[in-house]
Amino acid sequence: MREVNALVLENKQIAEEVYSLTFSTEEKVPVRCGQFCMIGVGQRPLRRPIAICKAEGERITVCYRLKGEGTRSLARDYKAGERVSVLLPLGNGFYVKDGEKRVAVVGGGVGIFPLVSAIREYGKTKEIAAYIGFRNKNAVCMEYEMRKNATLTIATDDGSVGYHGTAVEAFEKDFDSFRPDVVLACGPTPMLRALKEAVKGKGIPVYVSLEERMGCGIGACLVCVCERTNGAHARVCKDGPVFEINEVDIR
C-alpha cells in the first residue's frame, strides 16, 4: 500500500451516472484483481473507496457511480491534467486456484467493476462465463472490456437489453450446461443473498466482494465491520473485501 499524487489522464462518463477515471501513478504499483483504492476528493476528510477495474503498469482505471457530493465533485472537478491523492492497492482481491478451470462471474450495479479486473486477469487462462445485471440499457457499461475475455450474458431488470431478469437468474439458467468450478461475485446484498440460495448444495466455492461504507480503508476506523457466520467480526477493507460466501453473514 502506498499513497500517490496521481495524474488524471481521463475522467469520462460511460453510462447513466457512471464515470471512468484513469490516472497515472508515474511508477508501477502491483495490483491484483478485486483490490480497491481510496481517492481523496478536495478538502473532504474521508477518501472514497473505489474498485480498481484495470491496472496496466502505472495506468490505473477505476469506475464509480455518482452518489453523493464527493463523487459528483470527482466527476466535475478532476479533469485530465489535475492531480488526485490515491491510497492503493487495498484489500485481498480474488484468487482462482490452478485446478479451477471454469469460472462463473456474477455481478450487478457498481459491483461489476471489481469483476472486470477478475475477468481481465483470469480470462486468458480460464473459461469464464459472466452474468452481469443492470437496471436498464442506459446503465450498461464495460461491455466491450468484459467480452474480450469472457462469454458475457447481460441481464436487465426491464428487459431492454439481453436477458429479462436478474444476473443470478441468468446464471441459474445456464448452471447445468456450464458447471463452473468456482464463482466470483459482487453486487447489492439482495443479489448476493439470491446467489447464496442458488448455489446451496451444489458443492462449489463462491467468493464475494462486499460493498460497505468505509472511513480509512486500512482497518483502523472499524466503519466497515461485518459479521462472520461464526459470530466473530471482520473488517471489509482489511480482511476482505473478498470472502467465501458462507464465511460472512449476508443480510
Side-chain angles (χ1 to χ4, degrees):
M1 178 193 71
R2 68 183 73 174
E3 182 176 4
V4 298
N5 183 29
L7 175 67
V8 176
L9 303 176
E10 185 178 63
N11 192 9
K12 64 179 182 179
Q13 186 172 2
I14 59 172
E16 188 174 64
E17 296 198 322
V18 175
Y19 282 71
S20 172
L21 168 67
T22 299
F23 56 83
S24 172
T25 58
E26 299 183 359
E27 61 179 79
K28 185 175 180 178
V29 177
V31 177
R32 70 164 296 100
C33 64
Q35 290 188 301
F36 67 98
C37 61
M38 299 288 288
I39 297 182
V41 181
Q43 301 302 310
R44 292 170 177 80
L46 298 180
R47 297 173 184 264
R48 267 54 184 178
I50 303 179
I52 296 171
C53 288
K54 294 193 291 184
E56 302 166 302
E58 74 282 358
R59 291 172 61 97
I60 307 291
T61 298
V62 301
C63 292
Y64 60 97
R65 175 179 292 161
L66 301 184
K67 190 171 183 180
E69 183 52 36
T71 48
R72 293 186 185 280
S73 175
L74 183 61
R76 180 183 64 242
D77 302 331
Y78 290 83
K79 307 300 183 184
E82 300 286 343
R83 291 280 177 174
V84 61
S85 176
V86 185
L87 195 64
L88 81 165
L90 300 169
N92 57 353
F94 289 108
Y95 291 86
V96 175
K97 298 176 182 177
D98 290 343
E100 294 168 338
K101 302 298 185 183
R102 295 184 304 280
V103 182
V105 172
V106 183
V110 294
I112 74 169
F113 301 132
L115 298 175
V116 170
S117 65
I119 291 171
R120 284 174 54 85
E121 181 156 332
Y122 292 113
K124 294 179 175 61
T125 59
K126 312 284 186 181
E127 183 181 356
I128 297 185
Y131 304 88
I132 306 298
F134 299 95
R135 296 189 308 277
N136 53 47
K137 64 180 180 180
N138 295 326
V140 175
C141 58
M142 304 299 286
E143 180 181 4
Y144 169 74
E145 194 63 51
M146 290 182 280
R147 285 196 190 280
K148 287 192 294 185
N149 293 295
T151 300
L152 176 62
T153 298
I154 289 178
T156 50
D157 295 341
D158 64 358
S160 53
V161 176
Y163 181 84
H164 188 179
T166 69
V168 174
E169 290 168 348
F171 162 72
E172 287 186 281
K173 181 174 175 289
D174 283 358
F175 185 87
D176 288 336
S177 59
F178 184 63
R179 300 298 302 181
D181 298 313
V182 63
V183 179
L184 311 181
C186 185
T189 300
M191 189 207 88
L192 298 182
R193 283 200 300 263
L195 178 62
K196 187 173 184 177
E197 186 64 27
V199 299
K200 185 180 296 184
K202 296 188 182 299
I204 56 171
V206 180
Y207 296 94
V208 297
S209 179
L210 299 185
E211 301 171 331
E212 291 287 345
R213 292 181 64 87
M214 295 181 185
C216 67
I218 58 174
C221 71
L222 305 182
V223 167
C224 63
V225 166
C226 68
E227 292 189 18
R228 296 184 185 269
T229 49
N230 64 4
H233 292 86
R235 299 160 297 178
V236 172
C237 67
K238 187 73 172 179
D239 303 314
V242 178
F243 299 90
E244 205 283 324
I245 198 168
N246 294 310
E247 183 184 356
V248 287
D249 188 3
I250 299 173
R251 296 183 178 182

